[in-house]
C-alpha cells in the first residue's frame, strides 16, 4: 500500500476515489513514565518514554487506516494527515488520528 501526504503521486494516475480511510489510537500515560519524563525534562534531556508512546500510537493509527483502505479496495492512500492530541481530565491520554483518501492508482 502506497501512503503519501501529497494529493497526487508522481507518475501514477488515480483511477478511482474510494473515500476516507482513517485510524485512531489512544494510549494512556502512566505514573512511572510521567515521573521519568519529568526527571529527564528537568535535566534537559529527551523523554524517550513519551517518544516511544507517540511512535506506537502513530503506528497503530496508520495500520488501522491502511486496513480500512484495503477493505475499501484501495491500493494507495493520498493526502494523509496525522493529528496528535492529549485528552482526558488531566491530558493523561494521547490520541493520534490518521486520515487520508483511499484511492486506486495505476
Amino acid at each position: 500500500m502506497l501512503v503519501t501526504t501529497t494529493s497526487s503521486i508522481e507518475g501514477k494516475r488515480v483511477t478511482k476515489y474510494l473515500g476516507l480511510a482513517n485510524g485512531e489510537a489512544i494510549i494512556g500515560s502512566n505514573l512511572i513514565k510521567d515521573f521519568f519524563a519529568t526527571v529527564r525534562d528537568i535535566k534537559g534531556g529527551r523523554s524517550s518514554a513519551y517518544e516511544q508512546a507517540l511512535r506506537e500510537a502513530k503506528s497503530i493509527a496508520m495500520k488501522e487506516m491502511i486496513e480500512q483502505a484495503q477493505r475499501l479496495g484501495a491500493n494507495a492512500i493520498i493526502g494523509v494527515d496525522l493529528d496528535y492530541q492529549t485528552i482526558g481530565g488531566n491530558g493523561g491520554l494521547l490520541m493520534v488520528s490518521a486520515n487520508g483518501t483511499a484511492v486506486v492508482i495505476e
Side-chain angles (χ1 to χ4, degrees), residues 12-34:
K12 302 289 184 183
R13 186 171 71 89
V14 174
T15 60
K16 192 172 188 181
Y17 290 86
L18 300 172
L20 181 66
N22 61 332
E24 297 86 19
I26 298 176
I27 295 181
S29 57
N30 66 37
L31 296 175
I32 295 171
K33 282 184 186 179
D34 288 347

Side-chain angles (χ1 to χ4, degrees), residues 69-99:
Q70 287 172 332
R71 285 191 301 273
L72 293 171
N75 63 358
I77 306 171
I78 59 174
V80 172
D81 179 49
L82 295 171
D83 291 313
Y84 302 87
Q85 294 181 353
T86 56
I87 58 175
N90 294 323
L93 299 172
L94 171 66
M95 180 177 80
V96 178
S97 62
N99 302 285

Side-chain angles (χ1 to χ4, degrees), residues 28-106:
S29 57
N30 66 37
L31 296 175
I32 295 171
K33 282 184 186 179
D34 288 347
F35 173 75
F36 285 113
T38 302
V39 170
R40 286 220 167 128
D41 289 343
I42 291 169
K43 289 184 171 184
R46 294 170 57 173
S47 174
S48 63
Y50 279 112
E51 289 173 355
Q52 180 58 36
L54 194 59
R55 279 192 292 273
E56 181 182 342
K58 176 185 162 193
S59 177
I60 292 167
M62 292 288 293
K63 182 177 183 245
E64 284 186 5
M65 179 184 65
I66 290 168
E67 288 171 354
Q68 186 177 39
Q70 287 172 332
R71 285 191 301 273
L72 293 171
N75 63 358
I77 306 171
I78 59 174
V80 172
D81 179 49
L82 295 171
D83 291 313
Y84 302 87
Q85 294 181 353
T86 56
I87 58 175
N90 294 323
L93 299 172
L94 171 66
M95 180 177 80
V96 178
S97 62
N99 302 285
T101 303
V103 298
V104 175
I105 58 173
E106 59 178 32

